[in-house]
């Protein structure tokens, strides 16, 4: 129903943000990874959102990238995983780390996530192992995994490039120069590919 919110960041915390869009403040639940990428209060903000409707509530969940949102939505396809647990997983692990744990059958690593017990961790492994082993399981650009690349991704998005285009350019830079650990250098190299 909703694709994204673009407005002014009115308030933020590790688990929520309020985005003012045309005078209406939208309260959005967010993962920690998105909180880390939010601009300062009063600055323009852009979140990819999904609306979760329950019998007794309607809640918007927002993400810095489409890939995070897709990760969140696909987690909920597993029996016993609701929005709160899915948000906890997205906050705690990158897609790459989650995928590695599931493909390795490492339920113990998944149990480190708040709200994921023994039974649920095993269910995640069993139900998702075949699905995420396919090349088309989630977007190919699951986002950068190290701090420098994450910062470079944010900088490129703020310059107006899409998340997918920025991630592909950074991936190309990483293939050619895997040892670069300066975000500024990564941005300069990626701009030559965009």
């Amino acid at each position: 129903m909703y694709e994204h919110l673009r407005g002014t960041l009115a308030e933020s915390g590790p688990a929520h943000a309020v985005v003012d869009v045309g005078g209406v403040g939208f309260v959005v639940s967010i993962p920690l990874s998105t909180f880390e990428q939010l601009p300062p209060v009063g600055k323009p903000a852009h979140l990819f959102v999904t609306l979760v409707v329950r019998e007794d509530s309607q809640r918007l969940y927002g993400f810095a990238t489409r890939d995070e949102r897709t990760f969140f939505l696909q987690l909920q396809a597993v029996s016993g995983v609701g929005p709160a647990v899915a948000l906890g997983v997205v906050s705690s692990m990158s897609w790459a780390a989650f995928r590695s744990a599931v493909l390795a059958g490492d339920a113990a690593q998944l149990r480190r996530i708040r709200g994921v017990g023994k039974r649920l961790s095993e269910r995640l492994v069993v139900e998702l192992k075949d699905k995420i082993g396919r090349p088309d399981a989630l977007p190919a650009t699951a986002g950068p995994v190290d701090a420098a690349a994450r910062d470079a991704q944010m900088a490129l998005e703020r310059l107006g490039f899409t998340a997918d285009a920025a991630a592909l350019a950074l991936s190309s830079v990483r293939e050619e120069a895997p040892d670069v650990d300066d975000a500024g250098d990564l941005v300069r190299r990626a701009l030559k590919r965009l």
Side-chain angles (χ1 to χ4, degrees), residues 32-187:
L32 193 57
S33 52
T34 294
F35 171 69
E36 293 170 350
Q37 297 183 48
L38 287 175
V41 170
K43 298 290 183 182
H46 181 234
L47 295 173
F48 295 96
V49 297
T50 185
L51 177 66
V52 176
V53 179
R54 298 283 187 238
E55 288 179 15
D56 58 347
S57 69
Q58 295 183 23
R59 181 173 275 181
L60 273 175
Y61 291 86
F63 305 90
T65 66
R66 282 189 176 97
D67 295 341
E68 277 187 337
R69 181 179 62 186
T70 302
F71 183 20
F72 171 80
L73 293 171
Q74 288 195 351
L75 284 166
Q76 291 180 73
V78 175
S79 172
V81 177
V85 171
L87 197 64
V89 173
V90 175
S91 287
S92 301
M93 300 183 92
S94 68
W95 160 244
F98 179 81
R99 184 173 191 259
S100 296
V102 169
L103 291 177
D106 189 358
Q109 184 175 352
L110 299 178
R111 281 194 292 275
R112 295 181 187 147
I113 300 168
R114 185 175 178 205
V116 177
K118 185 176 191 310
R119 222 178 241 166
L120 183 55
S121 66
E122 290 169 356
R123 191 177 310 130
L124 285 165
V125 169
V126 169
E127 291 188 29
L128 293 177
K129 193 168 192 172
D130 291 335
K131 291 179 184 175
I132 67 174
R134 298 188 327 251
D136 64 340
L138 263 178
T141 57
V145 294
D146 61 273
R150 220 176 7 253
D151 291 345
Q153 171 96 19
M154 284 186 346
L156 290 168
E157 287 179 34
R158 288 192 179 160
L159 288 172
F161 296 100
T162 66
D164 292 341
L168 286 172
L170 288 169
S171 175
S172 174
V173 168
R174 280 291 190 216
E175 286 176 16
E176 290 179 9
D179 56 336
V180 175
D181 62 356
D182 177 62
D185 196 10
L186 287 173
V187 168

